[in-house]
Amino acid sequence: MATTRNLFLLYLGRPSCSCLSSSSLSLSRAMSTFHFNSIPTYPGLARCNTGKSFNSARSITHEKNKKEKKCSKKSDDSNKSKKRDDSGWSAVAESFVKRRTRSDREFMWEHVQRYGSSCTHIPVMLGDVLEVFAPHPHRPPLHSFVDCTVGAAGHSSAIIHAHSEMQLFVGLDVDPLAHEKAHTQIYALLNEDCNLASNLNVYTFLKNFKDIKSVLCDVDEKLLIHGVDGFLMDLGISSMQVNNAERGFGVLSDGPLDMRMNPQASLKAEDILNFWPEAEVGRILREYGEESNWQRLQKKIVNARLYGGLHSTGELVDLIQKTFPASGGRKGWIKTATRVFQALRIAVNNELQTLEDALYACFDCLSSGGRLVVISFHSLEDRIVKQTFLDIIDNKGEEIDGNTRKGKDDIAEESWIKQKIKGRKGTILTKRPITPSEEEERLNRRCRSAKLRVIQKV
């Protein structure tokens, strides 16, 4: 009985109080080879009712295995659920991307070579702009056209070349270098094509687009009565401006803290950083740059005044790098610096208020059926364009047309129009803005944030 008891305790994993005899040791060695799936046949075990104990142990092990399988199954189910969740999020992300109204226009590199420069100026979404103003049987011809930000005249040259019926072209820009380049580019195009030169009157002005009504009045007072057939606003900074370190627009080049679109203006970015009240500096960073760490930057900028202030773009970039040394490396601080430079540029040129005033003025000067196209490059601009368009058309929300069917009206026959919003005074032809094609983004990284919106007057 003692041997059986010791063997049983050994099986249960409990040490026996008494010493084991040689016979019990041999039994214990035999026990070490026991498997739960086999039935023991050792003498005397049955008399101690150990079969019940072994069956109990087998039952315990079975339950343990069962629980492990259940846990494993739960883990598998959890992984499957996670995969389903991941796939669900992927589907949401994919649908979000699909909701972007990407341009389906093929990016024509020959357009860049003809109407721009691959080094200094690439007209953004040129194919889409041409399509918006393309001749259509249900719209009046493009007899008059105004480029409110003529720049290097990439868009304007292409539109003039595409519309032989055009009789009047007006180009505006506040940048003297851009104005001179545009003037040269347009007249070079007219010298190439005598048919265009014979029918077209060209006017270029060194003016801001907020003065559009006075400019048109200087050209021909009748324009304010009959209206202009097409307007274009390209709100982005051109590559020739960014690449010129002396203008102070570029983050990666050292130059004076200027940032004036109009070199004749008095206010510079340097003045804001070194002399404006601390609260105003913070407001500019917060509202115009949408910078989340504006308070830290505000304090650093104001503290820099104690040591002579900031006088170059390089000094401002160094301050940003030292303020956020662990902000994701080079790309991290560049994103912060880009937001700060954007905020200062907007403040220096009063861009947002000027844009809103110009949108109302341009729409007032449109002819019946005329179109205004705006290309914006950051959320603040796009938000103003969107809200101003809604206010202009006097829409009360009762007539929103989605997924337009062809043949429903004249506008619907143009394939690029996906959704539009109708109002009493006009129609927004881009309920969602059109963004550059993937091919254009790949070939011109500076266009990736561009958004194109179109409004048509009734």
Side-chain angles (χ1 to χ4, degrees):
M1 292 295 293
T3 301
T4 303
R5 178 175 175 275
N6 289 332
L7 179 60
F8 182 64
L9 291 174
L10 275 172
Y11 171 72
L12 295 178
R14 297 175 185 173
S16 171
C17 294
S18 60
C19 295
L20 297 174
S21 62
S22 59
S23 60
S24 64
L25 284 172
S26 61
L27 284 173
S28 66
R29 291 191 192 101
M31 189 61 195
S32 66
T33 63
F34 175 79
H35 296 283
F36 289 130
N37 291 331
S38 63
I39 300 175
T41 58
Y42 305 116
L45 288 180
R47 291 194 297 270
C48 295
N49 199 22
T50 52
K52 184 177 180 181
S53 300
F54 286 126
N55 289 335
S56 177
R58 290 172 63 191
S59 177
I60 292 170
T61 306
H62 178 70
E63 290 296 326
K64 183 179 179 181
N65 291 338
K66 193 175 179 181
K67 286 182 180 178
E68 288 178 355
K69 288 181 180 179
K70 189 178 289 186
C71 291
S72 177
K73 186 177 179 181
K74 286 183 179 178
S75 178
D76 291 342
D77 291 342
S78 176
N79 290 334
K80 287 179 182 178
S81 176
K82 187 177 180 181
K83 287 179 181 178
R84 283 196 299 269
D85 291 343
D86 291 343
S87 63
W89 280 110
S90 299
V92 171
E94 186 178 353
S95 66
F96 178 76
V97 171
K98 286 181 179 178
R99 286 182 64 186
R100 292 183 63 184
T101 309
R102 274 206 183 272
S103 170
D104 54 6
R105 295 283 302 180
E106 182 182 357
F107 182 71
M108 305 296 289
W109 190 252
E110 52 267 29
H111 283 173
V112 175
Q113 295 175 325
R114 180 165 187 175
Y115 303 115
S117 168
S118 58
C119 299
T120 59
H121 177 64
I122 300 178
V124 175
M125 302 183 72
L126 178 57
D128 301 276
V129 172
L130 290 173
E131 189 172 26
V132 170
F133 291 112
H136 196 276
H138 297 288
R139 282 197 304 107
L142 194 68
H143 288 306
S144 55
F145 181 79
V146 176
D147 191 338
C148 296
T149 49
V150 67
H155 291 105
S156 295
S157 298
I159 289 174
I160 290 172
H161 191 267
H163 292 271
S164 57
E165 78 278 12
M166 189 182 298
Q167 299 171 1
L168 174 68
F169 171 82
V170 179
L172 291 78
D173 208 296
V174 294
D175 187 335
L177 293 177
H179 174 262
E180 182 181 352
K181 190 175 182 65
H183 184 85
T184 303
Q185 173 77 5
I186 292 172
Y187 278 97
L189 176 66
L190 296 179
N191 289 333
E192 291 177 7
D193 194 332
C194 297
N195 293 328
L196 292 176
S198 61
N199 298 326
L200 185 63
N201 295 313
V202 175
Y203 299 87
T204 58
F205 294 89
L206 190 61
K207 290 275 190 178
N208 191 300
F209 52 42
K210 67 180 180 181
D211 303 318
I212 186 61
K213 288 189 175 181
S214 64
V215 167
L216 293 179
C217 187
D218 291 341
V219 173
D220 188 348
E221 293 183 358
K222 295 179 179 179
L223 285 173
L224 298 179
I225 300 173
H226 301 295
V228 176
D229 298 324
F231 280 93
L232 173 65
M233 289 185 184
D234 180 358
L235 304 178
I237 303 177
S238 69
S239 297
M240 61 182 180
Q241 291 171 323
V242 175
N243 296 338
N244 185 352
E246 294 301 313
R247 303 297 298 274
F249 293 115
V251 173
L252 300 178
S253 55
D254 190 18
L257 280 166
D258 194 320
M259 302 192 189
R260 293 173 297 174
M261 291 291 188
N262 179 7
Q264 303 302 318
S266 57
L267 181 64
K268 301 179 182 180
E270 181 181 3
D271 301 326
I272 295 175
L273 293 173
N274 295 324
F275 302 110
W276 279 29
E278 182 176 352
E280 275 298 292
V281 174
R283 183 187 67 82
I284 289 170
L285 296 173
R286 182 180 68 253
E287 295 182 7
Y288 297 160
E290 298 181 300
E291 173 57 48
S292 57
N293 296 307
W294 64 272
Q295 290 177 313
R296 287 181 63 187
L297 280 170
Q298 168 191 289
K299 291 178 181 178
K300 291 288 184 180
I301 290 170
V302 173
N303 288 339
R305 297 174 181 177
L306 302 175
Y307 305 95
L310 300 169
H311 303 282
S312 71
T313 56
E315 291 175 353
L316 178 58
V317 168
D318 287 341
L319 181 144
I320 294 170
Q321 284 183 290
K322 291 176 182 177
T323 306
F324 307 104
S327 59
R330 184 172 179 269
K331 289 185 178 180
W333 69 258
I334 283 182
K335 289 181 180 178
T336 302
T338 301
R339 289 191 289 268
V340 172
F341 275 57
Q342 171 186 297
L344 291 170
R345 193 196 76 231
I346 291 173
V348 167
N349 299 286
N350 193 24
E351 291 181 14
L352 300 184
Q353 186 59 55
T354 300
L355 171 60
E356 186 175 351
D357 294 342
L359 289 172
Y360 285 108
C362 287
F363 187 83
D364 288 344
C365 296
L366 273 176
S367 62
S368 178
R371 290 178 173 178
L372 166 60
V373 176
V374 183
I375 304 175
S376 61
F377 288 84
H378 58 78
S379 59
L380 295 175
E381 288 176 341
D382 183 61
R383 194 176 304 134
I384 288 176
V385 175
K386 176 184 176 181
Q387 294 301 325
T388 304
F389 277 9
L390 288 171
D391 184 62
I392 283 174
I393 66 173
D394 194 19
N395 173 264
K396 305 300 181 182
E398 70 278 357
E399 193 174 356
I400 298 178
D401 186 14
N403 298 322
T404 306
R405 298 177 183 176
K406 290 186 178 182
K408 187 175 180 180
D409 54 30
D410 296 339
I411 296 176
E413 293 183 9
E414 298 180 64
S415 60
W416 65 271
I417 301 174
K418 308 302 180 185
Q419 293 177 309
K420 60 182 185 291
I421 304 176
K422 291 184 178 180
R424 188 172 60 86
K425 297 180 180 179
T427 302
I428 298 173
L429 305 182
T430 49
K431 182 180 178 183
R432 293 196 185 98
I434 301 173
T435 57
S437 65
E438 293 181 0
E439 184 182 8
E440 182 171 1
E441 280 191 18
R442 186 171 61 254
L443 297 173
N444 180 17
R445 294 295 295 166
R446 286 181 175 174
C447 81
R448 62 189 180 277
S449 59
K451 293 181 179 179
L452 184 148
R453 294 184 184 270
V454 186
I455 188 172
Q456 178 173 305
K457 198 170 187 179
V458 293

